[in-house]
Amino acid sequence: MKTQLVWRADVAFNMIFTVTKILFACLLWGMVFQNRETVGQFTFHGMLSYYIVSSFLSQLDMSEGISREIHDKIRNGTFSKYMVIPVGIEKYFMAMELGVLSFYVFFDFAAAVVWVFVFRIRFVFAAHPGTVLCAAAMAVLGLVFMVQLNYFLGLLTLKYQGMNTFLMIKNNLAALVTGSILPLALFPETVVRLLRLLPFYYVTYLPAMLFTGKCGDEAVGGLLVLGGWMLFMQFLIGAVWKKYRVKYEGVGI
């Protein structure tokens, strides 16, 4: 958290970027809803509420820095320091992400609330406490999963010279499947069924839908599916670490 205080401009830009999706939603859906009351299962204010929640959740995920830091330290030989100190490396990076998240969550939340009043949105929120709890739990698990994924991609540097290709694939896939660009409920049902098999569906899209009072019947199943993906990702992390850590020479330390 102390580290984040050094980069004060990052905080300001992060709050600005939270607004871009909401502004995009207002301009786009304002034209779409001119001649209709609903689109799919959304009203105009329901759609804007979804974008506010999804943009808030997506801005909280800053775990891509983990994969880049691991990549850089493996390439320049300084990753060895994590291997010799008595600490779990993955837990260390999770704690680092928690520190970043703890710092930014207040500013992102403040930005989201301010823009609710600026755009005069009648915010739609889930009425059932159980749905809200499931949404909150899923959002937390989604952030943990993204930490696992980016940690795994970083470890691939132990085998490959670079991981920019992996990051590019992940970022482009996540941008579409998390529903941060367009609500997945507007996709054909066949496509949505396929997307439910991927973990990204449960990282941003489903928690945002649950927070806005929709898809309540998917809450428990979503937690189970995401939990299964987390276990699978942990297995991959263990397998890659066990196989390739012994080949790391630590050159440059």
Side-chain angles (χ1 to χ4, degrees), residues 19 22-23 26 43-49 52 111-124:
V19 177
I22 305 171
L23 182 59
C26 285
T43 63
F44 176 65
H45 290 279
M47 181 69 77
L48 295 187
S49 299
I52 288 174
V113 171
V114 167
W115 289 105
V116 168
F117 292 100
V118 169
F119 291 109
R120 299 179 181 179
I121 299 171
R122 295 194 294 273
F123 192 77
V124 178

Side-chain angles (χ1 to χ4, degrees), residues 7-185:
W7 309 101
R8 291 184 290 274
D10 285 3
V11 178
F13 280 108
N14 193 68
M15 296 177 70
I16 293 172
F17 292 151
T18 304
V19 177
T20 55
K21 293 177 185 177
I22 305 171
L23 182 59
F24 165 78
C26 285
L27 296 175
L28 174 64
W29 296 108
M31 294 184 291
V32 173
F33 280 95
Q34 279 182 347
N35 301 317
R36 61 183 73 186
E37 292 294 324
T38 60
V39 173
Q41 54 183 288
F42 295 94
T43 63
F44 176 65
H45 290 279
M47 181 69 77
L48 295 187
S49 299
Y50 166 83
Y51 271 93
I52 288 174
V53 177
S54 65
S55 64
F56 170 72
L57 294 176
S58 61
Q59 286 298 114
L60 288 181
D61 177 30
M62 300 180 181
S63 58
E64 184 173 319
I66 292 175
S67 55
R68 296 193 181 278
E69 181 172 346
I70 293 175
H71 169 267
D72 292 342
K73 290 186 181 301
I74 289 176
R75 291 294 300 274
N76 63 30
T78 57
F79 188 75
S80 302
K81 71 176 184 179
Y82 298 118
M83 303 176 71
V84 297
I85 58 177
V87 63
I89 302 175
E90 184 180 1
K91 293 178 181 179
Y92 166 82
F93 282 103
M94 283 189 175
M96 183 180 71
E97 176 68 9
L98 178 61
V100 176
L101 173 64
S102 301
F103 182 82
Y104 277 98
V105 66
F106 170 77
F107 298 100
D108 289 341
F109 181 77
V113 171
V114 167
W115 289 105
V116 168
F117 292 100
V118 169
F119 291 109
R120 299 179 181 179
I121 299 171
R122 295 194 294 273
F123 192 77
V124 178
F125 197 74
H128 196 284
T131 302
V132 176
L133 288 175
C134 283
M138 192 176 299
V140 172
L141 292 180
L143 291 172
V144 174
F145 171 80
M146 293 305 295
V147 172
Q148 288 180 308
L149 177 59
N150 282 294
Y151 180 74
F152 169 74
L153 293 177
L155 290 181
L156 290 180
T157 313
L158 292 169
K159 176 175 175 58
Y160 302 101
Q161 288 296 313
M163 31 71 73
N164 288 329
T165 300
F166 299 114
L167 282 180
M168 181 180 65
I169 295 172
K170 185 263 296 184
N171 289 338
N172 283 279
L173 180 63
L176 176 65
V177 182
T178 56
S180 58
I181 298 177
L182 192 68
L184 302 183

